[in-house]
Amino acid sequence: MREFMTGNHAVAHAVRLCRTPLIAAYPITPQTPIYEKLSEWEASGVIKGIMMRTESEHSAMASCIAASLTGVRTFTATSSQGLALMHEMLHFAAGCRVPVVMANVNRLLSAPWGFWADQLDSLSQRDTGWIQLYCENGQEALDSVIQAYKVAEQVYLPVMISLEAFFVSHFMEPMEIPDQEAVDGFLPPMNLPHRFDMEKPGFLVPVVPSELYRKYRHMAQTAMDSVKEVAVRVDQEFKEGFGRSYGIVESVMMEDAEIIIVTAGSITSTARVAVRALREQGHRSGLLKIRYFRPFPREAVQQALRGKKKIAVIDRNNSIGGGGIFCQELRAAMVHSSDHPLIYSYVAGIGGTDVTPEVIQKIALDAIHRTGPVDESIWIME
Amino acid sequence: MKVYTESFELVIPISYESTEVIETGKWGFQKPETAFMTAPCEEACPAGNPIATFIYLIGEGKFGKALEAVLKENPFPGVCGRVCFHPCESGCNRNQYDETVSINVLERYVFDATVDQSPKLHPALNSDPKRIAVVGAGPAGLSCAYFLALLGHKVTVFEARQEPGGVLRWGIPEYRLPKSVLKKEIGRILGLGIEMKTGVVVGKQFPIESLNQFDAVFLSPGAGVSLPLGVGGEGLTRVWRGTDFLNRINLGEKIRAGGKIIVIGGGNTAMDVARSARRLGSAVTIAYRRTKKEMPAVTDEVEEAEQEGVRFEVLVQPVEIRLLKNRKIRIKFQRMKLRKTSREERARPIPIKGSFVILEADRLITAVGEGVDLSWIPQDLREKGFIKSVHSLETKGRRIYAGGDAIDQQRSVVTAICSGKRAAISIDLSFRGQDPEEVFTKIRAGSKEGLSMEAYLKGRERGIWEEPKGVVVYDQLNTLFFKPSERVRTGRIDAGKTLKGFSEVHTGLSSEGARLSALRCFSCGTCNYCYNCYFFCPEGIVSFDPVDQTRKVDLDHCKGCGTCSRACPRHVIEMRLIS
């Protein structure tokens, strides 16, 4: 069914289609429409599960972890400060290996206060052990939630799906809502191999000696590594069922490109227009979209950028003292490349500022004209 | 402890073993101690009533147990629940929160709800029982006899009247204290095997010297003689004495009191006389030399007298009574004014020169106080119109003790019970050769007059008395766990029926009223199994059995965080440093 709706409502539809029986959340702008839609559906009986209106995001995540350990699918949604408050529990979720799925609407972190798009909130949580992926638009957000459950329930790691404030969360677009039957066919009921059992009481998170701790962390790392393969397979299966796929990275007009723009999230769709315009002006440009950030798709990125000379990474985020975060990760992935490409870091769109096709063209031209390396991130201040 | 690391189970860090082996209790430097404390109401009660305990039991619907608890300290819950001036309610910590708990009427409820029950009382084992004579079967004498019997002694009570009860029987009118209630309570006391000799006047039929055959004597003859006004015309037949009037009513005499009556006095007897006279159909005016505020009568009594149509003529003092030709009497009153001096507690009435009030009436009843008949008391035991006794209630006579209204102390039923209990303990200690004052400091309920018989018995059994428990002050309560509620008041018979006879005016509490009223009690210092410590303990090591009334803490696993102590609304738990 095709419907004109916002990215937030697309996420809610995905949760409904996945028959998630336990939703625990706390409202926060710009995520609130997800919360409201699910509440509405709980009240009207459209969804059959329980919606827990917890007193904080920290509690919401604690509830999801506990519920997940009883063997049910769980969901929460948050944003910015809410995600920051959840931080401690994010580590617990990953450490307890629960397949919780969360939608995070990327919003700047205070101070100063604001509601606008910025990826720093979720990128600040990059070391918590969560699978992270960044969506370009509402349709991708909807599809990613469905895919996320399937990935999470195979590797026993939680998944955070990020969609930027307003540009994705509130923009309305025509979207395809999959049939329930098709989703049921794609996503079987959750089957956690071990879970809380009344017959066999146990307690979670016991104190362990150093060696055991190391072992658990290593197992989580191994599981995370396997995501790259599982995610590709799930994406492929999704394509077979629904006709859409996204990959863990996506290459656009890369074959002969002399300058590659690298993006994640909503700037990607603008970049698609910009790349075409650049080509019309005679600049052979290409686009690499990074969808999965955790695990970082190192091999896929290396493969996509093989033989390329100039790369411009646009980050709607900045690690103060470090620069654009996607660029940091990309540089690290490319460090052993025999091609030694020049990788420029551009910080643009901070705090929800507009990144228009013209801005992206300017970034490309700036990179084209540069001859030597630049270590620092270049801030776009227009 | 084993953590699973193989196969499926390894993924989630879960353990199926117990952490009990880890003695986390060793980490702490303090431990919670159940410090059952004295509630301020209990401290304020001269009878040492276990108020928090019996109210908890009412709230639980265990009325029989509540009665047993009260009877440990007070043989008269039915009487006190009706006529006590309830100092406990002034002490109630809830006063500082909203309104005091209705302790008095709850005590009455203990009696009312168990009126068909006869709990078995268990006198303590006593290998050397003594014979003790009690003279006067009023509240002091009966209490003394009751506690002596509970201590295992043999008691004989001498009562001059044909029935026991003293002021409870002959002074207090039926509308405040039904005879059936008194009968039930006296029956319970005598059921302990006390010998009751009624109609025996010590000093007449029974020579006072004959008391020497007893190991100890308790004198509690009361104060039954109305004091004279000291005014001309007092001897007229139109002038009655308040105690005689009440006595005749309590005997069941049919009395024609007169159409218009003036009662002189401001104490409880004056109120009883005035309200009784109203019930006999008279118009009544109380004349008092101070104002209503200074009246020694209980405020409730004054208010109820007023509600029943008694008029008050205050700041007047009679100076002359004359019989008129029309058989009425005319009383000339001196107008008074009050002078407050800083040293005196009560304002002093002084005459306003040349200012008089004349009142006419069919009858005058005096109720300006009662004196003690000391005619039969040896001279060396008397002082200033009273029998002289020290705090332990010993007199100058060998093993002769005295209490109640016959000694110089506050006159109330509960004070009389207090002196009966204190004398019983003094007498018991004298046989054991122990200093009563020293023991009193250990068995006091708080720092006031009331003594705990339970504490006395416990120490008596062990041979040593522990230090007394502290009193919970309001600031020690955690009032976050309470919410404001209205005081539950006693029911009353219809206003129209009040003056139709001598039916009891107050009807007490309904079962729901009693429950709600009991649940208002903060239970200061007494665990009422609210489960707060159980719920708040982060270690989950508090266990409860409300049926057996036990509360345990697994100290091997208590880290001494003190949460239970903070979460306890009633200051039952105190943290103690481990030495």
Side-chain angles (χ1 to χ4, degrees), chain B residues 200-489:
Chain B
V200 178
V201 182
V202 173
K204 281 187 187 165
Q205 294 98 321
F206 193 86
I208 191 154
E209 297 74 31
S210 304
L211 292 173
N212 290 338
Q213 62 180 282
F214 292 93
D215 297 312
V217 177
F218 179 64
L219 302 175
S220 52
V225 184
S226 271
L227 295 176
L229 288 174
V231 175
E234 199 175 347
L236 292 165
T237 52
R238 290 265 152 185
V239 179
W240 285 352
R241 293 188 168 187
T243 47
D244 297 340
F245 175 69
L246 292 173
N247 184 34
R248 285 167 62 199
I249 290 173
N250 280 318
L251 273 168
E253 261 187 47
K254 288 221 179 325
I255 300 172
R256 298 181 67 154
K260 195 175 170 198
I261 292 182
I262 290 170
V263 179
I264 297 181
N268 287 323
T269 307
M271 300 306 138
D272 285 344
V273 167
R275 294 177 67 190
S276 295
R278 286 290 295 138
R279 282 164 174 76
L280 297 174
S282 308
V284 182
T285 301
I286 287 178
Y288 181 55
R289 58 185 180 151
R290 293 185 175 88
T291 70
K292 258 193 243 172
K293 217 171 72 192
E294 286 83 24
M295 283 185 173
V298 178
T299 317
D300 291 355
E301 291 292 314
V302 179
E303 279 171 12
E304 289 186 12
E306 196 161 31
Q307 284 162 16
E308 290 172 8
V310 173
R311 285 186 55 247
F312 289 84
E313 188 72 48
V314 295
L315 292 167
V316 291
Q317 183 165 317
V319 287
E320 188 190 44
I321 306 162
R322 280 173 54 203
L323 185 66
L324 301 177
K325 281 189 182 137
N326 60 4
R327 316 272 310 147
K328 286 185 187 294
I329 46 172
R330 172 179 288 176
I331 306 124
K332 186 179 182 188
F333 288 95
Q334 167 79 58
R335 274 250 178 252
M336 311 294 278
K337 61 181 175 186
L338 292 181
R339 177 177 290 167
K340 181 103 184 165
T341 61
S342 56
R343 272 166 297 168
E344 282 173 317
E345 254 184 51
R346 286 169 79 204
R348 202 154 51 93
I350 51 168
I352 303 172
K353 218 171 179 184
S355 180
F356 297 95
V357 187
I358 308 286
L359 293 178
E360 283 185 15
D362 295 302
R363 190 167 308 284
L364 178 76
I365 305 180
T366 65
V368 293
E370 292 82 35
V372 184
D373 175 10
L374 293 171
S375 59
W376 57 284
I377 301 289
Q379 196 65 42
D380 60 335
L381 301 190
R382 305 181 194 173
E383 187 178 81
K384 291 179 185 164
F386 296 102
I387 304 177
K388 162 118 179 98
S389 67
V390 294
H391 180 259
S392 68
L393 301 177
E394 288 173 84
T395 67
K396 281 192 178 142
R398 193 181 125 71
R399 290 239 163 97
I400 298 175
Y401 297 76
D405 285 357
I407 64 166
D408 188 8
Q409 68 169 16
Q410 183 187 36
R411 284 190 178 162
S412 76
V413 174
V414 72
T415 321
I417 295 169
C418 169
S419 68
K421 186 196 274 188
R422 197 191 312 150
I425 294 173
S426 279
I427 291 167
D428 189 59
L429 285 168
S430 77
F431 300 137
R432 301 163 65 91
Q434 275 171 297
D435 176 14
E437 289 303 335
E438 199 187 305
V439 176
F440 289 164
T441 61
K442 310 279 188 188
I443 62 170
R444 274 197 315 226
S447 58
K448 295 184 183 162
E449 282 307 298
L451 299 177
S452 163
M453 182 54 76
E454 199 181 9
Y456 178 65
L457 284 168
K458 213 183 264 179
R460 187 180 187 250
E461 208 169 286
R462 292 183 192 158
I464 185 156
W465 286 271
E466 287 170 11
E467 284 302 310
K469 302 179 278 187
V471 178
V472 178
V473 299
Y474 182 73
D475 289 345
Q476 288 173 317
L477 301 173
N478 189 342
T479 53
L480 286 174
F481 295 101
F482 305 127
K483 56 181 178 187
S485 63
E486 264 183 48
R487 174 174 156 87
V488 186
R489 288 177 167 79

Side-chain angles (χ1 to χ4, degrees), chain A residues 109-121:
Chain A
L109 278 168
S110 290
W113 203 251
F115 309 99
W116 330 123
D118 195 304
Q119 295 162 327
L120 188 62
D121 57 353

